[in-house]
Structure formats: C-alpha cells, structure tokens
Amino acid sequence: MAAIFCNLSSLRSPDSPSFSSLSSSGIQSSRFSGVFSPSPITFPAIRRRVSCQSTSPATSSVNANAKDFLHISDFDKSTILNVLDRAKEVKALIKSGERTYLPFKGKTMAMIFAKPSMRTRVSFETGFYLLGGHAIYLGPDDIQMGKREETRDVARVLSRYNDVIMARVFAHQDILDLAKYATVPVINGLTDYNHPCQIMADALTIVEHVGQLEGTKVVYIGDGNNIVHSWLLLASVIPFHFVCACPKGFEPDQETVKKAQNAGVSKIEITNDPKEAVKGADVVYSDVWASMGQKEEAAQRRRVFQGFQVDEELMKIAGQKAYFMHCLPAERGVEVTDGVIEAPNSIVWDQAENRMHAQNVIMLHVMGL
C-alpha cells in the first residue's frame, strides 16, 4: 500500500478556554447538579464569516467580523473546541428535561431544502424549537432557488423575515451566494462540496466516546465526497490523524487535500488500501457509495467499490478500541454490514443525535447568543 498524499506535523494540544455552564434560567453554574449560583452569563459573541472572494470551494478564511458557518475551517481551533464544550453543556440541559432555557425565543429560522433530508430537517427544527424558536421549512418546490427566483433575491427577502437561514443545497456556489447577500447568519446544512454541521456532530461524538479529538486516528472508507472534504478542513484546524481509503479515481478534491496538508496541523493520508488504513484506528467511518444525485451510478460504483465494505473482518483489523461511525442513511449490506452497524462499538445513533446538539450551539454562536 502506498499513500497518495501524506503530511505529518507534530500533534499539539494547547489548552483552550471553555464556555461557562448555564442553567435553564440563564445563569451560570459549574455543573448540571441542580444547584445553581447566579452570575452574569459571559458567552463570547464571536462571529465568523468565510471570505467569498475566491472561486475555489476549498478556500475559506477565518474573519473576526464573520456571521456565517459555511465551512468547518471558518472557525479557528479555540472556537471549534469551545463550541464542542458548549454543545455538551446544552445537550445535558436538554436531556435533563429542563425547558426554560430559551435563547431562541421570539426568533425564526428559514430552512431551505433543495435536497430532502430526515436528519437535517428534524435536528434543526427540533433543536430550534426546544430552545424557544420557530423554524420554517421551505422544500424544493417552495422556492426553486436559482430557477423561479434568483438566489440573491431569496437571501434578501428571507433576511427581512428571519433571524437565521439554514440551507441544504446541491451547488456550493448557492450557499456562498446566500451568505453574500443575506443580512442574517447563513448555516450550511450540506452542499455537494462539504457538510460542516455533520462533522461538528461527529467531532462531538468522538469527544464523548474517545475522550478527545486531538491526536485520534479517524479512518474514512469509501467515496472521497463532501464528508471527506469537511474532515480534511477540520484537520487543517485541529490536530489528528485522518486517513481516507477510497478506490482509484474516487479520491477527494485535490485542492482540499492540499489545504489540509499545507496547514501543517494534522497527519493526512489518502490511500487505496482499506485494510492497511484501518490499523490502529480510533474511528472507522463510512458513508453511502452513491450520494443523492449519483444514484444512476450506483450499480457501477458497487462494482468499483468492492473491497471497501466495512465488515466484521475490517473492524477486527482496526482493533478492539475502534468505534464505527456512519453519517446515515446507510445501505446495509453495501458499504457496511448489518453486523457492524448493530455492534456494541457502533456509535452511529449517538452520532445522529448529536447533529441536533452541535447545530444548536452553531446557531447560538453565529447569532451571538
């Protein structure tokens, strides 16, 4: 096995600040123990926006005046770690049954869905509701963005009605245009290029089960798709070992690989040998071989991807400590066996739940709450 790309730097773990815990009534506490000592909340209202000057989807920069979440690398390391810390706290509060912490009270979110989705819709809509807000679903036939009405016009109009916009679209340029013309925060719910909210949920899940993200080995098996691009962008900010094992011709975007390598933060490997890739993995990650919009290629992809199924044998090579993750929906018996996804070391359902908790704090962050 020969890696196509490889970059290694020292894995460093500087201390980062954490958000203060909060009670349901909007006061701080050191833990969710039911005993609270009132004091002012001091959550920093940092806002970040991606630079839209470049036509390359792989190019994003951290901007102190930003308001949007379009790529995971829009956030710097301390912000990402703080969002994950706060997500754990808000998750604990929600799961405790407390329902008086309502930072989104009186606020509305427009949810644009050019691509349908169960997890994205339910996690955003439920999360926004549980924290006091009202979410409006706009399906493919409600707007027909870019066809019936120009994206810039949609962005301006929705900004007049809503406090935040979430969009799940095909073309990455659509999310960039929404953010460019909207006057409220825009959150990327998925594009063909990347899926930053999913990877924030994945990072939260890894922190919960492994203990930390920094220094872990995450091995992705399958197509070098939008999930891989977001993992690579995260690896350009947080130090860990990321491996993508995919068939020849299905590697991730070269510019995005180079961005992750040139950042000098993580060890990055792109390989065509899944068995070698998974050795010593903390996490083995899979996704469908044919994403939405590629279903006509499904039969051909199944032939090409033979040998890239995550089965019990591959997990045995990974080792007993390895967890299995999948962003769902899964095609059982195709990219993953039923036995692997149902095994005790599968953390797929925690991962799915954490979409809501990670996204809640992403929304809090970009809205300055």
Side-chain angles (χ1 to χ4, degrees):
M1 182 280 291
I4 299 171
F5 308 104
C6 183
N7 182 57
L8 174 62
S9 72
S10 60
L11 299 181
R12 49 194 180 276
S13 305
D15 293 336
S16 61
S18 62
F19 285 92
S20 300
S21 300
L22 68 158
S23 78
S24 57
S25 57
I27 57 179
Q28 290 180 330
S29 76
S30 60
R31 58 175 59 86
F32 294 98
S33 62
V35 179
F36 298 99
S37 300
S39 61
I41 291 180
T42 57
F43 291 142
I46 303 168
R47 293 173 178 244
R48 307 211 175 272
R49 182 171 188 152
V50 62
S51 168
C52 297
Q53 301 303 311
S54 171
T55 57
S56 170
T59 302
S60 64
S61 62
V62 175
N63 182 339
N65 299 316
K67 67 175 178 63
D68 307 311
F69 182 52
L70 309 183
H71 315 85
I72 204 159
S73 52
D74 294 346
F75 289 175
D76 59 21
K77 179 181 177 180
S78 65
T79 303
I80 289 173
L81 295 179
N82 286 342
V83 166
L84 294 176
D85 284 344
R86 193 178 180 190
K88 288 188 290 183
E89 295 175 350
V90 177
K91 176 181 179 177
L93 189 62
I94 289 174
K95 292 180 78 69
S96 74
E98 183 57 66
R99 293 293 181 267
T100 58
Y101 175 59
L102 305 172
F104 297 143
K105 186 175 182 179
K107 300 187 182 298
T108 60
M109 170 173 57
M111 304 190 303
I112 300 172
F113 282 84
K115 282 186 175 185
S117 170
M118 177 181 75
R119 269 157 298 280
T120 299
R121 178 179 178 179
V122 176
S123 59
F124 268 105
E125 190 166 340
T126 302
F128 204 65
Y129 168 78
L130 288 174
L131 298 186
H134 176 67
I136 302 165
Y137 174 78
L138 299 167
D141 297 328
D142 293 319
I143 295 182
Q144 295 182 350
M145 192 170 65
K147 295 180 181 178
R148 192 175 72 182
E149 191 165 3
E150 289 193 23
T151 302
R152 56 184 171 176
D153 296 344
V154 171
R156 287 161 170 157
V157 170
L158 291 180
S159 295
R160 298 297 181 101
Y161 301 143
N162 299 278
D163 299 281
V164 62
I165 298 169
M166 186 281 295
R168 180 181 168 92
V169 297
F170 287 91
H172 192 68
Q173 189 61 45
D174 286 344
I175 202 78
L176 298 180
D177 289 344
L178 271 175
K180 180 178 180 180
Y181 291 100
T183 56
V184 299
V186 173
I187 295 173
N188 180 355
L190 174 141
T191 70
D192 285 346
Y193 171 67
N194 70 340
H195 197 354
C197 288
Q198 177 67 59
I199 269 55
M200 287 295 285
D202 296 343
L204 176 60
T205 309
I206 290 171
V207 169
E208 288 178 339
H209 287 272
V210 178
Q212 63 179 19
L213 175 61
E214 295 182 64
T216 60
K217 181 178 181 180
V218 178
V219 181
Y220 175 95
I221 308 293
D223 184 28
N225 59 16
N226 52 3
I227 292 291
V228 177
H229 295 156
S230 282
W231 271 114
L232 287 166
L233 292 177
L234 181 61
S236 72
V237 182
I238 304 289
F240 62 98
H241 183 182
F242 179 71
V243 186
C244 173
C246 53
K248 291 181 180 179
F250 292 86
E251 291 87 0
D253 174 66
Q254 282 262 11
E255 283 189 44
T256 308
V257 174
K258 289 178 181 177
K259 176 183 174 67
Q261 291 177 333
N262 292 340
V265 173
S266 299
K267 179 177 181 179
I268 308 293
E269 293 181 271
I270 311 296
T271 180
N272 308 123
D273 187 340
K275 292 182 178 180
E276 186 66 26
V278 298
K279 291 179 180 177
D282 294 291
V283 170
V284 177
Y285 196 116
S286 184
D287 190 9
V288 292
W289 292 343
S291 299
M292 196 177 299
Q294 300 173 328
K295 295 306 180 184
E296 69 281 358
E297 305 173 22
Q300 182 260 344
R301 282 174 173 254
R302 287 194 184 194
R303 290 192 294 271
V304 173
F305 280 76
Q306 289 300 312
F308 287 83
Q309 182 186 72
V310 179
D311 55 17
E312 289 82 348
E313 179 186 355
L314 196 65
M315 291 301 295
K316 186 176 181 180
I317 294 172
Q320 291 184 347
K321 71 171 185 175
Y323 291 102
F324 175 73
M325 299 180 73
H326 194 300
C327 53
L328 301 177
E331 292 191 69
R332 297 177 184 232
V334 181
E335 76 275 1
V336 60
T337 62
D338 193 72
V340 167
I341 203 169
E342 294 290 350
N345 62 333
S346 170
I347 52 176
V348 167
W349 318 119
D350 291 340
Q351 180 185 1
E353 177 188 345
N354 280 338
R355 282 290 301 277
M356 181 176 75
H357 303 301
Q359 289 161 185
N360 279 347
V361 177
I362 290 168
M363 290 187 287
L364 288 168
H365 177 79
V366 297
M367 294 171 73
L369 299 173

